[in-house]
Amino acid sequence: MRRKAQSAIEYLFMLAAVLVLVLMATRVILNGTRNLNEAISEYTTQVRQRILEDL
């Protein structure tokens, strides 16, 4: 019976480690998406201003 309990605990630790890795990857992706969105927004604003200046 002790071996089954040990296996269950090991399984839960592996599951927790996977969840931590998934959360870290999600955080990196969301930060990257946010930074990219800000850069694109800033670029479009600059292009819009240049177009209006050239008119």
Side-chain angles (χ1 to χ4, degrees), residues 13-39:
F13 279 133
M14 287 188 290
L15 184 62
V18 168
L19 288 176
V20 168
L21 291 174
V22 168
L23 288 175
M24 290 173 58
T26 305
R27 184 175 168 191
V28 168
I29 290 170
L30 289 177
N31 284 338
T33 304
R34 186 179 307 124
N35 291 340
L36 184 61
N37 195 16
E38 289 174 2

Side-chain angles (χ1 to χ4, degrees), residues 35-50:
N35 291 340
L36 184 61
N37 195 16
E38 289 174 2
I40 290 172
S41 177
E42 183 179 324
Y43 177 74
T44 55
T45 302
Q46 291 175 359
V47 169
R48 222 180 278 146
Q49 288 176 352
R50 288 181 185 170

